[in-house]
Amino acid sequence: MLVGPQTPPNPPQPAPIFSAKVRIANNRVLNWAGTGILAAGVMSDVTIEENWVEPGAFARLVPAPACTTPNADGAASGISLGGVLNSTVRDNVVTLVPAFTDTGAPVACTAGLLVRGVIAGGASGNIFFGNRVRGEGTYAMVAGTPAPVIQPPPGPPPALPTIETNNLFAFNWVFGFTGTKATLFIGSGATANAFIGTFPEIEGNTAGNWVLNR
């Protein structure tokens, strides 16, 4: 389920903000190889609530070690905000299972809830509240993308870290979730975000953010 305009790979100028009020509620999304619900493309005032998302075991290809493509679409993942501002994701249930690509290989990264910047702009002012992430995946929650990987010549230049600021993750329940890497991942470009709840394992940039772990 896609909401918002997709960002072109190389926009000549910053994309305008898509400011219509959007509400996505009471849907059941099953067996989708990408992200079950994706809001992307520099937009604001989106509400995603009371949905059931079960991506299933078949996953699209996403370059390792990232959890999403540049437009924020993931692999067999739950709900993702890419380049989205001042929006709310609440009271949703995401159930992950071990996922594989069409080659039979395990997918590089899956997650229940994701927020990341995109090429046209960062992600800021979003609230993830009262969601439940169950099952088994790489992470329950992701803010940002992994640090750039430096490759020797003639490899491609590393991707720049995305920008995520002033986002709040609060009281999202992860009981019954098993993370193959961690419960929460915070990217190197994510700063001044707040994370409140239970995070048995945390990976990434905790120093640049507020984490209240009970």
Side-chain angles (χ1 to χ4, degrees):
M1 183 176 295
L2 170 65
V3 181
Q6 287 286 58
T7 305
N10 294 293
Q13 58 188 10
I17 294 177
F18 180 76
S19 58
K21 182 177 288 188
V22 177
R23 179 174 179 260
I24 306 166
N26 300 310
N27 298 284
R28 190 176 186 99
V29 182
L30 303 174
N31 299 320
W32 184 248
T35 297
I37 299 176
L38 169 62
V42 190
M43 56 190 303
S44 65
D45 202 8
V46 178
T47 298
I48 301 174
E49 60 184 349
E50 298 181 353
N51 299 282
W52 287 72
V53 182
E54 300 176 21
F58 179 73
R60 62 171 296 177
L61 290 172
V62 172
C67 218
T68 55
T69 65
N71 66 8
D73 194 7
S77 292
I79 299 171
S80 179
L81 303 184
V84 174
L85 311 174
N86 306 321
S87 296
T88 302
V89 179
R90 65 188 180 201
D91 300 325
N92 301 281
V93 178
V94 177
T95 303
L96 302 179
V97 297
F100 301 85
T101 68
D102 58 358
T103 66
V107 68
C109 184
T110 61
L113 306 171
L114 308 99
V115 62
R116 62 159 289 170
V118 294
I119 295 172
S124 177
N126 301 294
I127 297 174
F128 291 76
F129 179 83
N131 301 284
R132 292 171 172 81
V133 182
R134 302 168 175 167
E136 180 179 335
T138 312
Y139 304 105
M141 289 164 273
V142 169
T145 56
V149 176
I150 306 299
Q151 299 182 0
L160 295 175
T162 56
I163 298 173
E164 301 81 24
T165 58
N166 300 315
N167 298 289
L168 171 64
F169 285 73
F171 305 112
N172 297 289
W173 305 107
V174 295
F175 304 106
F177 175 79
T178 300
T180 57
K181 289 190 175 181
T183 309
L184 169 65
F185 174 82
I186 307 173
S188 59
T191 58
N193 301 285
F195 303 89
I196 303 170
T198 302
F199 310 105
E201 305 88 21
I202 302 175
E203 180 182 315
N205 181 26
T206 56
N209 297 273
W210 293 280
V211 180
L212 180 59
N213 192 3
R214 71 179 185 90

